[in-house]
Amino acid sequence: MGTLVLTISFIFLWFSSSSSLALAITFNDTEALTQFRLQTDTHGTLLSNWTGSDACLSSWIGVSCIDGRVTSLSLPSLDLRGPIGSLSQLNQLRLLDLHSNRFNSTILSITNCTNLKLLYLSGNDFTGEIPVSIGSLQRLIRLDLSDNNFHGNIPDEIFKLSRLMTIRFQNNQFSGQVPDFSSLPKLYELNLSNNGFSGKIPERLLAKFGEKSFAGNADVCGFGSFPACSFSSSSKSAPSVAATAANSVVPSNPSSFPATPVVDKGKNESGTKGLSIGSIVAIVVGNAVFLLVIGSFVVAYCVGSRENSGSEKGERGRRSYYNGERRVYASNGGGGESDGTTASDRSKLVFFDNRRQFVLEDLLRASAEMLGKGNLGTVYRALLEDGSTVAVKRLKDANPCERKEFEQYMDVIGKLRHPNIVRLRAYYYAKEEKLLVYDYLSNGSLHSLLHGNRGAGRIPLDWTTRISLVFGAACGLARIHEEYSESKVPHGNVKSSNVLLDKNGVACISDFGLALLLNPIHATARLGGYRAPEQAQTKTLSQKADVYSFGILLLEVLTGKAPTMYPLPSNPRQENEHAVDLPTWVRSVVRDEWTAEVFDPELLRYKNIEEELVAMLHIGLACVAPQADMRPTMLEVAKMIEEFRVEQSPMAEDSDWRSSVSPSLVTTEDAMTNY
């Protein structure tokens, strides 16, 4: 009996001490954030809801927690200012996003947050050098220090961060030799532009990341548009060569190398300096460019004259795959009152930028292929005479829309630019014909990749590619919602068939805003399995309904099942009248603890992704919450997906597949910092 009492007392004391420890840890996190607020929100208006004794239980803005610890702090674009040293106590922090504020001082304290994966500090007033203790951030995946006042050399300790996929150091004052980041195996994005780097750009870096990543550094050399490297600046071993040639000692810092070595092969025997090979090449190239510019003006003039002449002749009645109106007018004005039309009758292609403009006649002459029919119209691939390809959507149910209203909608859609949104290039309005011209994306849709050819010989869509495509779509949708946060303009038609892949495999969301042209009853009915519960009564489109549709898309990616009706798992042979929608089916499987059966069998062969699968399942279920107010915003969804996104495909045999469709992390990650 005494032993039992002693054991119970021990357990009680153990739980009491554990609870006290948890409370102490939570209090420390809350205390650290409170100190941070006092230092950075001097007027107390920017973080006004940071009240209460527990940051995790009080739903502080920008704060996310797991098991009572702060794991995410996201406070972008709030005009906060001051030092951030108080954040050093948040040792469970995974995501820190403070971009576009006015924080200052150094970032030394951040290196204590050894669990950081995502660090976004761009657009502030940070100073000093990158501390050598940055090597302690072994889990870091994204590092964005751009648009600050950092200076000095990049410490070698940064090469210890073997998981880095993104480095953005542009628009600072860094100096020294261009670091060779080739040793970081997972690095997909690098930007060192507009700093004070010097010396030779490592060839592998320049070939992989392009010239833009190193532009704006006056003293660098390499190939392409950069000046050729002399032997005095070609590598770290160059100083000894230069010293031998010049019979003098040259400092080891490449920025202090002589502008020209003493021994100059460009000199002739008499000692006078002639033209170097580089100078001759520059002169030849300059002359060629000059002649090319002159020739371009001549060709443009001739082509313009020919088109004007052609329009005056007024080719009429041209038959095309569009089967449009009997008479069309190109963007040069075409036709006129003399041919029986009025100025108000005339229509033209309206472009949103100056890139590769063409006239309507060019579009009608183009060879075309029908890509498919959707709820909003038919899509064609049009190959223009200049060799460029565009996608043309012919709207079928927007005819009642008046010109002014239609143009207002197009202005809303056309001005939005984002790497994960299909770009609307131009539109054409006529009474019985409405055409939309988009950039052509050549790699099909997420729907076709998920559900196409499910039989033998199918190449499965691997986990890394799935989650990257979902992430890209989330970023595009979040950008739409953020841009129109005040007016609450939705996408209106979120589904897997509207997530398209460009030539690099980057996911871009299409059909933004087109559902607004339809009668709301028709628009909501066409959502099918992607329709939110409240839309059955309200018959309206909304951003919260977009989140629900995206949740269905995410569950579709995880389960491999299209959003239709499924029998409950407890009665797999039930008749269709007892079937349920995809979210209900998923919840029932999870509730019965058959979680593994939720996931697409094609995903079960991958190892060590269980954590990511379950995390993404929880995100999807949060999006499809029956109550609209309980759903997260798309910005929150994008950040949650980024937190759990895997870094590479677990199966090497899928490498060929990934190289053809896997999205560029540069593009998708740029998306994250644009909102």
Side-chain angles (χ1 to χ4, degrees):
M1 181 67 178
T3 303
L4 179 61
V5 171
L6 182 62
T7 302
I8 293 174
S9 301
F10 175 78
I11 293 173
F12 175 77
L13 290 173
W14 184 82
F15 274 110
S16 299
S17 61
S18 299
S19 301
S20 300
L21 179 60
L23 288 174
I25 290 174
T26 303
F27 176 76
N28 286 339
D29 284 357
T30 302
E31 184 180 39
L33 290 177
T34 300
Q35 184 180 357
F36 172 79
R37 178 179 62 83
L38 293 174
Q39 292 176 339
T40 61
D41 183 13
T42 54
H43 298 291
T45 57
L46 303 175
L47 303 175
S48 57
N49 85 321
W50 279 29
T51 58
S53 59
D54 192 319
C56 295
L57 297 180
S58 303
S59 300
W60 288 9
I61 183 174
V63 177
S64 298
C65 303
I66 297 178
D67 296 331
R69 297 301 310 276
V70 176
T71 57
S72 173
L73 182 62
S74 180
L75 301 170
S77 306
L78 291 179
D79 201 34
L80 296 167
R81 61 191 71 188
I84 59 173
S86 55
L87 300 181
S88 62
Q89 300 179 50
L90 305 180
N91 56 21
Q92 293 301 310
L93 205 60
R94 269 73 162 176
L95 164 65
L96 179 60
D97 185 358
L98 303 178
H99 79 265
S100 303
N101 282 283
R102 298 177 63 181
F103 294 112
N104 53 40
S105 191
T106 70
I107 61 169
L108 178 62
S109 58
I110 296 301
T111 59
N112 290 332
C113 305
T114 54
N115 282 298
L116 268 175
K117 293 183 178 181
L118 311 170
L119 181 57
Y120 303 108
L121 301 179
S122 63
N124 283 284
D125 297 319
F126 289 112
T127 58
E129 300 184 1
I130 296 179
V132 295
S133 54
I134 197 171
S136 64
L137 304 182
Q138 294 289 313
R139 303 184 70 187
L140 200 61
I141 297 174
R142 314 286 188 203
L143 177 58
D144 188 353
L145 305 181
S146 59
D147 298 286
N148 280 284
N149 297 307
F150 291 107
H151 62 266
N153 295 350
I154 305 299
D156 291 339
E157 283 73 14
I158 201 169
F159 300 113
K160 297 178 181 179
L161 309 182
S162 59
R163 301 177 69 185
L164 273 177
M165 303 174 75
T166 298
I167 294 178
R168 298 197 189 108
F169 288 168
Q170 68 267 28
N171 303 320
N172 280 283
Q173 301 173 42
F174 291 118
S175 58
Q177 189 84 9
V178 178
D180 190 352
F181 289 108
S182 302
S183 60
L184 297 178
K186 299 176 182 178
L187 192 64
Y188 283 89
E189 178 187 3
L190 175 67
N191 196 333
L192 305 179
S193 61
N194 301 319
N195 279 283
F197 290 113
S198 58
K200 182 179 180 180
I201 304 171
E203 292 183 2
R204 286 178 296 181
L205 290 186
L206 190 53
K208 182 176 181 179
F209 298 106
E211 297 180 4
K212 290 183 178 180
S213 295
F214 307 95
N217 292 281
D219 296 323
V220 296
C221 61
F223 57 85
S225 64
F226 295 104
C229 296
S230 66
F231 59 80
S232 63
S233 59
S234 60
S235 68
K236 290 185 178 181
S237 62
S240 60
V241 178
T244 302
N247 195 23
S248 62
V249 178
V250 179
S252 60
N253 186 349
S255 64
S256 60
F257 287 179
T260 55
V262 174
V263 178
D264 191 343
K265 294 182 180 181
K267 289 187 178 182
N268 57 28
E269 294 181 357
S270 64
T272 59
K273 188 168 183 178
L275 290 175
S276 66
I277 295 177
S279 300
I280 295 173
V281 171
I283 293 172
V284 172
V285 171
N287 289 336
V289 170
F290 175 76
L291 292 175
L292 182 61
V293 171
I294 296 300
S296 299
F297 277 115
V298 173
V299 171
Y301 175 80
C302 294
V303 171
S305 299
R306 185 178 61 185
E307 288 186 350
N308 287 334
S309 175
S311 64
E312 289 173 1
K313 293 178 181 179
E315 293 184 17
R316 295 178 173 86
R318 182 183 304 278
R319 298 181 59 85
S320 73
Y321 57 90
Y322 298 120
N323 294 321
E325 291 185 320
R326 294 181 179 178
R327 182 180 290 120
V328 294
Y329 302 91
S331 59
N332 57 14
E337 296 179 1
S338 60
D339 59 12
T341 64
T342 64
S344 60
D345 290 330
R346 279 180 270 160
S347 299
K348 62 182 181 179
L349 279 172
V350 179
F351 285 84
F352 292 99
D353 56 38
N354 295 321
R355 185 168 60 97
R356 283 193 192 173
Q357 289 195 8
F358 45 86
V359 296
L360 186 60
E361 287 294 316
D362 295 332
L363 199 60
L364 299 177
R365 282 195 298 264
S367 60
E369 172 191 358
M370 188 179 74
L371 299 178
K373 294 183 178 181
N375 290 333
L376 298 171
T378 304
V379 181
Y380 302 88
R381 180 175 68 90
L383 179 61
L384 302 176
E385 291 181 347
D386 65 358
S388 61
T389 304
V390 295
V392 181
K393 180 184 284 287
R394 182 186 181 194
L395 298 179
K396 64 179 181 181
D397 286 331
N399 287 336
C401 187
E402 297 296 330
R403 178 189 293 272
K404 183 177 180 180
E405 182 183 2
F406 184 84
E407 291 177 345
Q408 289 174 342
Y409 279 125
M410 293 302 104
D411 287 341
V412 169
I413 298 171
K415 76 173 185 179
L416 197 57
R417 295 287 184 266
H418 190 273
N420 298 111
I421 300 175
V422 179
R423 175 174 295 188
L424 176 63
R425 294 183 58 183
Y427 68 86
Y428 167 79
Y429 180 96
K431 184 176 181 181
E432 299 297 333
E433 186 69 272
K434 296 167 185 64
L435 307 176
L436 306 181
V437 182
Y438 292 93
D439 284 340
Y440 172 67
L441 275 62
S442 56
N443 267 326
S445 70
L446 176 59
H447 183 274
S448 62
L449 292 174
L450 278 174
H451 307 297
N453 187 25
R454 275 273 173 173
R458 166 180 163 82
I459 301 177
L461 190 60
D462 71 80
W463 173 238
T464 299
T465 303
R466 292 191 195 205
I467 205 62
S468 294
L469 296 179
V470 165
F471 176 63
C475 291
L477 193 54
R479 182 69 183 91
I480 293 170
H481 288 188
E482 186 76 3
E483 177 70 19
Y484 302 108
S485 58
E486 294 184 2
S487 55
K488 302 296 182 183
V489 175
H491 178 283
N493 195 27
V494 178
K495 53 182 61 178
S496 60
S497 57
N498 282 336
V499 177
L500 307 181
L501 283 70
D502 70 5
K503 63 180 180 181
N504 297 315
V506 176
C508 301
I509 195 159
S510 67
D511 274 13
F512 160 51
L514 300 188
L516 299 174
L517 298 171
L518 303 178
N519 182 299
I521 297 177
H522 297 158
T524 54
R526 296 182 184 197
L527 288 170
Y530 296 91
R531 184 175 60 183
E534 68 273 12
Q535 291 180 297
Q537 288 77 37
T538 63
K539 309 296 183 185
T540 58
L541 304 173
S542 69
Q543 291 189 353
K544 284 296 185 181
D546 280 352
V547 176
Y548 184 93
S549 299
F550 181 84
I552 296 292
L553 184 151
L554 183 50
L555 295 179
E556 183 180 358
V557 168
L558 293 171
T559 64
K561 297 179 180 294
T564 182
M565 306 302 286
Y566 296 93
L568 290 169
S570 57
N571 297 287
R573 296 185 180 180
Q574 282 182 332
E575 297 298 327
N576 287 338
E577 59 264 22
H578 300 291
V580 295
D581 60 12
L582 183 57
T584 304
W585 179 84
V586 170
R587 292 190 190 101
S588 66
V589 176
V590 174
R591 183 175 58 248
D592 293 337
E593 298 183 356
W594 301 345
T595 306
E597 297 187 13
V598 163
F599 301 113
D600 188 344
E602 292 183 348
L603 295 175
L604 298 181
R605 61 182 184 149
Y606 297 103
K607 297 179 180 179
N608 303 321
I609 65 169
E610 293 84 0
E611 180 183 352
E612 289 82 8
L613 286 171
V614 174
M616 299 304 296
L617 184 64
H618 287 165
I619 296 173
L621 290 175
C623 292
V624 296
Q627 297 80 22
D629 292 340
M630 298 297 293
R631 298 168 199 156
T633 66
M634 279 310 305
L635 181 59
E636 293 170 337
V637 171
K639 289 186 179 294
M640 286 190 287
I641 294 174
E642 171 69 2
E643 171 71 16
F644 291 103
R645 187 170 54 160
V646 296
E647 300 160 36
Q648 63 181 20
S649 175
M651 297 198 65
E653 61 261 36
D654 288 337
S655 58
D656 290 340
W657 167 250
R658 292 202 323 275
S659 65
S660 64
V661 301
S662 185
S664 164
L665 293 173
V666 177
T667 305
T668 55
E669 182 58 22
D670 279 340
M672 279 294 293
T673 57
N674 283 337
Y675 45 75

